[in-house]
Amino acid sequence: MTGLHQRIQRTIRHEALLPAGSRVVVGVSGGADSVALLHLLLDLSARGEFSVAGLAHFNHQLRPTADRDEDFCRDLAATLRLEIAVERGNVAAYARQETLSVEDAARRLRYRFLEEVASRWSADRIAVGHTVDDQAETVLLKLIRGAGLTGLGGVSPRRGRVVRPLLGVAKRELVAYLQGRQAAWLEDETNADLANPRNRLRHLVLPELERAYPGAARSLARAADASRADAELLEAEAEALYEALARPTPTGVEIDAGPLTAAPAAIVRRVLLKAMRAVCGNREIGLDHIRAAEDVLAGSCAGTDVPGARWELRRKKLVLSQQGRGRSDTLTE
Amino acid sequence: MTGLHQRIQRTIRHEALLPAGSRVVVGVSGGADSVALLHLLLDLSARGEFSVAGLAHFNHQLRPTADRDEDFCRDLAATLRLEIAVERGNVAAYARQETLSVEDAARRLRYRFLEEVASRWSADRIAVGHTVDDQAETVLLKLIRGAGLTGLGGVSPRRGRVVRPLLGVAKRELVAYLQGRQAAWLEDETNADLANPRNRLRHLVLPELERAYPGAARSLARAADASRADAELLEAEAEALYEALARPTPTGVEIDAGPLTAAPAAIVRRVLLKAMRAVCGNREIGLDHIRAAEDVLAGSCAGTDVPGARWELRRKKLVLSQQGRGRSDTLTE
C-alpha cells in the first residue's frame, strides 16, 4: 500500500463510493488515468471489501488509433485475467442524429455502454478515472460557458452507479505510479491537437496556471465541490418559490410579481431562468436574458424579447409568452 | 460619443453609479485603464449629469518609475485643467507594520487616500479603472485561494463612494480608444515581471485562455457578478442560523447539534466557518478544517483539532474550544 493507495482508500470510505460487498466495473480507455485506476482498485480489492467485476472499453471509432487502443485494453484484461466488455460506437453518426457535439455524443454513448455492462455483469458500481486535473478543466470550462447561472459544476464523486475515486489525485501522480510499477499505458494523441480549445486549456492554460500557483488545479476542483452544495440549496429554494408563484397560461407562464420582487436576487434569477427553460424550449438562455427579465420585473422597461418568447408585466403578473406561433408545442411535451 | 462611451453610460445608469449632480474624484495611476477612465468620464460629464472634481494620484514609492508616474499625472491634470491631489505613501513600511502583503498594504493606503481626497473636495463618488480583465484575474485568484468558502468574489461596480464604470470593458478596448484619440499613457513596467505569480496570471494564463475561448475574461467577470448575489443570500441564511444555534462559552462557542445537522450542507459549512472565525482569531481556516468539523458533527470522529482550537461533540452540542491557553483573549476583542 503506497500513500496513493491510502488516499484513494480514504476517498472511497469518506464518500462511501464502494460499499462492502460491491462489484465494480472499471471503465478503461487505455490512458494513464483509467489504467492506473484499474491497477489501484485491483490492489485495494485484495482486502476483500469489494471486487472488480471486469473492465469495459468503449471504442469511439473517432481516432486513427482507436483499434490499437482496443487491442491494448484486450491485452491488459488478458494479462490481469479479467473479464472485458468492448463496444464499438458510431459516435459521429449519433452526434449528427441527435444534434449533439461529438464530445457530448461520445459521453452519452460511453456511459450508456458502461451501465449496460454493469447490468449484464450484476455489478452495482462503475468506476471511471476522472482526476483533479479533469475537475479543474471542467470548472474553468463551466466558468467560461456561463457558470453565472448554475454554479461551478464539476463532476460528483458519485452519481448513481458511477463512482470517481481519483477526483483528489493529479494525473502526474498517476503517471508516476504507473512508471513506478512499470505498467504500460497509452498516450492520448488527439489530446495534443492544439487546434481544439479544450486541448489548449488542458495543455497550455492549466499547466501555466499551475506554474504560477502550485496547487491551483486542486483549488479549482475543491471550489467545485463546495459550489455544488451551494447550487443545490439555491436551486431547491428557487424551485419551491417557482411552484408557489408560477401558473401556466395558454402560451407560457405567469408569475406573481409582488412576492417575486420581495425574494433575494439569487432566487429571483433562478425563478426567471426556470420560467424561460419551461417556455423557450431548448433555446439557449443566458445571463443577459435574465437581466432583461429583471428589468421588466422592476418596471424599468415595459417588455423584453428573449429567445422564442417575450416578458411583460401585466396587472401585477410577470408574464412570459411564447412568440411566433399561437400556442405552445413545447409546453405539452 | 463612441460605442464605448455609450456602453459606459449604460453601465453608469444601470448600476446607478453616478447619480444626478454627483461630483466624482478619478483615481489615476497613469496606466491605460485609469487614463482612459478619466478621458471617458470627462467626455460624459459634458452632458451635465455629473462633474469631475479632479484626479487623485497615489505614489506608492515602490517602483523605480514612481516619480515619473507622478509627473505624468501632474502634467495630465495641467493639460486638462483639472485639480490634482497627490500623496506619497510608504507602502513597504506600512506592510511590515501591519503584517500585510505589499499588495494589500498598497490597496489600503490608496483607498484611504482616495476617500480623504473625496472628503476634502466634497465629492460623493470616487471612480477607479477596474476592467473586465482585472475582474477575470480576481475571480481566478479567488478560485485558487479558496473560493470554496466564500464564492467567486470579484469587485462590485459600487461599494460606498467607490464606483467602477469600466468593469464591462476590456483593457485592449481602452488602449485602442486612447490610441484613437492620440492620448498618452504609461506602460506599467513591473506588470511585466514574470517572477510575480499575479503577473504570470495576467500576461500568460489569461491571454492563453482568451485565445482558446474568445470572451473568456468577460465570462469569468460575469460569473463573479452572479456569484455575488448567491454568496450574499447563503451568508445571510447562515448568519441567521448561527445566531439561533450558537452560544458563547468561556473558551469558545457551542452549537445545538440537532438543528445544525438538519440544515443543508451549504449552510452548515458556513455556520462552522463562522464559529471558527469567531474563536480561532486571525488564523487561516480552510475547507479541510470545515470538513473535519463536519465529521465531528456527523459523529464519525470524536474530536478534531483546527488552528488554535478543537471541535468536540458533547451531549448534543457541537463545541469549539480554544486550545493552548485557559481563556480566550481574542473573544473579548
Side-chain angles (χ1 to χ4, degrees):
Chain A
M1 292 276 285
T2 64
L4 184 59
H5 285 90
Q6 281 161 6
R7 270 167 58 206
I8 291 162
Q9 177 82 331
R10 240 189 340 262
T11 304
I12 288 173
R13 289 218 179 113
H14 192 266
E15 306 279 352
L17 299 185
L18 299 172
S22 54
R23 276 167 58 77
V24 58
V25 174
V26 185
V28 177
S29 69
D33 303 349
S34 60
V35 171
L37 174 66
L38 179 63
H39 287 299
L40 288 159
L41 287 183
L42 277 177
D43 292 349
L44 291 173
S45 73
R47 306 172 147 217
E49 290 172 18
F50 63 88
S51 61
V52 174
L55 64 98
H57 174 79
F58 188 74
N59 183 335
H60 296 83
Q61 300 193 79
L62 285 173
R63 306 171 187 158
T65 61
D67 292 340
R68 179 207 67 170
D69 299 357
E70 183 185 323
D71 291 343
F72 174 86
C73 291
R74 288 190 187 277
D75 290 347
L76 183 64
T79 309
L80 297 170
R81 295 166 195 240
L82 287 171
E83 289 286 321
I84 181 167
V86 172
E87 186 169 287
R88 308 179 139 233
N90 193 333
V91 174
Y94 183 73
R96 271 195 307 277
Q97 179 191 320
E98 303 285 323
T99 54
L100 292 167
S101 71
V102 169
E103 203 175 307
D104 285 341
R107 186 171 46 241
R108 283 207 202 174
L109 288 176
R110 190 167 62 241
Y111 279 103
R112 185 150 91 190
F113 163 65
L114 290 171
E115 291 286 350
E116 189 263 315
V117 174
S119 296
R120 194 174 352 134
W121 290 352
S122 308
D124 50 356
R125 289 291 182 272
I126 297 161
V128 294
H130 278 89
T131 64
V132 84
D133 305 280
D134 296 321
Q135 193 74 313
E137 194 180 303
T138 305
V139 169
L140 274 184
L141 270 179
K142 183 86 189 184
L143 279 167
I144 293 164
R145 290 175 179 166
L149 296 174
T150 51
L152 290 180
V155 295
S156 306
R158 181 173 159 204
R159 186 172 203 109
R161 286 199 276 202
V162 177
V163 296
R164 301 183 170 96
L166 303 183
L167 277 184
V169 180
K171 187 189 184 92
R172 74 182 141 61
E173 296 179 277
L174 297 174
V175 168
Y177 163 74
L178 289 175
Q179 286 168 336
R181 67 183 286 161
Q182 300 191 291
W185 74 92
L186 297 169
E187 291 294 345
D188 182 347
E189 288 174 18
T190 58
N191 273 352
D193 171 12
L194 294 180
N196 175 331
R198 190 158 182 145
N199 286 334
R200 294 191 78 86
L201 188 60
R202 185 176 300 170
H203 296 290
L204 300 174
V205 178
L206 281 167
E208 191 60 70
L209 188 62
E210 190 76 27
R211 268 192 292 277
Y213 296 94
R218 194 172 298 271
S219 300
L220 290 176
R222 286 176 159 224
D225 253 19
S227 146
R228 218 162 23 242
D230 293 355
E232 277 166 20
L233 176 58
L234 295 168
E235 179 59 28
E237 294 184 5
E239 176 70 29
L241 192 65
Y242 186 77
E243 289 298 319
L245 302 183
R247 296 281 168 273
T249 68
T251 59
V253 292
E254 58 178 38
I255 308 173
D256 274 341
L260 186 61
T261 309
I267 303 299
V268 171
R269 273 206 331 260
R270 286 173 170 81
V271 167
L272 297 173
L273 178 61
K274 273 179 185 300
M276 288 187 273
R277 290 240 166 104
V279 172
C280 303
N282 282 325
R283 295 179 184 85
E284 201 167 322
I285 303 299
L287 269 172
D288 281 341
H289 304 124
I290 292 178
R291 222 170 257 186
E294 283 178 312
D295 286 346
V296 176
L297 177 63
S300 63
C301 91
T304 190
D305 290 316
V306 293
R310 182 172 174 79
W311 285 105
E312 279 173 351
L313 197 62
R314 290 192 215 137
R315 287 189 239 107
K316 298 188 181 167
K317 301 281 184 194
L318 184 65
V319 182
L320 179 63
S321 317
Q322 287 197 325
Q323 298 291 300
R325 44 184 159 168
R327 277 182 64 90
S328 153
D329 293 337
T330 56
L331 282 184
T332 57
E333 266 171 18
Chain B
M1 292 275 283
T2 63
L4 184 60
H5 285 90
Q6 282 162 6
R7 269 167 58 205
I8 291 161
Q9 176 81 333
R10 244 195 329 267
T11 304
I12 289 172
R13 290 220 177 114
H14 192 264
E15 307 279 352
L17 301 185
L18 300 171
S22 55
R23 275 167 59 78
V24 59
V25 174
V26 185
V28 178
S29 67
D33 303 350
S34 59
V35 172
L37 174 66
L38 179 64
H39 287 300
L40 287 159
L41 287 183
L42 277 176
D43 291 349
L44 291 173
S45 73
R47 303 173 149 215
E49 291 171 17
F50 63 88
S51 62
V52 174
L55 62 100
H57 175 79
F58 187 75
N59 183 336
H60 296 82
Q61 300 192 82
L62 286 173
R63 306 172 187 158
T65 60
D67 291 340
R68 179 207 68 172
D69 297 357
E70 182 184 323
D71 291 344
F72 174 87
C73 291
R74 289 189 187 279
D75 290 348
L76 183 64
T79 310
L80 297 170
R81 297 166 192 240
L82 287 172
E83 288 287 319
I84 181 167
V86 172
E87 187 170 288
R88 307 178 140 235
N90 193 334
V91 174
Y94 183 73
R96 271 194 307 276
Q97 177 192 321
E98 302 285 322
T99 55
L100 291 167
S101 71
V102 169
E103 203 175 306
D104 284 341
R107 186 174 43 242
R108 284 207 202 174
L109 288 176
R110 189 168 63 240
Y111 279 103
R112 190 202 272 176
F113 163 65
L114 291 171
E115 291 286 351
E116 188 264 313
V117 174
S119 297
R120 193 174 353 134
W121 290 352
S122 308
D124 50 357
R125 289 290 182 273
I126 296 161
V128 294
H130 278 87
T131 63
V132 85
D133 305 279
D134 297 320
Q135 191 75 314
E137 194 179 303
T138 305
V139 169
L140 273 185
L141 270 179
K142 183 87 190 185
L143 278 168
I144 292 164
R145 292 176 178 166
L149 297 174
T150 50
L152 291 180
V155 295
S156 305
R158 183 175 157 203
R159 188 175 201 107
R161 285 199 275 203
V162 176
V163 296
R164 301 182 170 98
L166 303 184
L167 277 185
V169 180
K171 188 189 183 90
R172 74 182 140 62
E173 294 178 278
L174 298 173
V175 169
Y177 163 74
L178 289 174
Q179 285 169 336
R181 66 184 285 162
Q182 300 191 292
W185 75 93
L186 297 170
E187 292 295 344
D188 181 347
E189 288 174 19
T190 58
N191 273 352
D193 171 13
L194 294 181
N196 174 333
R198 190 156 181 145
N199 286 335
R200 293 191 77 86
L201 189 61
R202 186 176 298 171
H203 295 290
L204 299 174
V205 178
L206 281 167
E208 191 59 71
L209 188 62
E210 190 75 27
R211 267 192 292 277
Y213 295 95
R218 192 171 299 271
S219 300
L220 291 176
R222 286 176 158 222
D225 253 19
S227 148
R228 218 162 23 241
D230 292 355
E232 277 166 19
L233 176 58
L234 294 169
E235 180 58 28
E237 294 183 6
E239 176 69 29
L241 193 65
Y242 186 77
E243 289 299 318
L245 303 184
R247 296 281 167 273
T249 68
T251 60
V253 292
E254 58 178 36
I255 309 174
D256 274 341
L260 186 61
T261 309
I267 302 300
V268 172
R269 273 205 332 260
R270 286 173 170 82
V271 168
L272 297 172
L273 178 62
K274 273 178 185 301
M276 289 187 272
R277 291 240 166 104
V279 173
C280 303
N282 281 327
R283 297 181 182 84
E284 200 166 322
I285 303 299
L287 269 173
D288 280 341
H289 305 123
I290 292 178
R291 225 170 255 188
E294 282 177 312
D295 285 346
V296 176
L297 177 63
S300 63
C301 91
T304 192
D305 290 317
V306 294
R310 180 171 175 79
W311 284 104
E312 279 172 353
L313 197 60
R314 291 190 215 139
R315 289 190 238 108
K316 298 189 182 165
K317 301 280 183 195
L318 184 66
V319 182
L320 179 63
S321 317
Q322 285 196 328
Q323 298 291 300
R325 44 182 159 171
R327 280 183 62 92
S328 154
D329 292 338
T330 56
L331 281 183
T332 57
E333 265 171 18

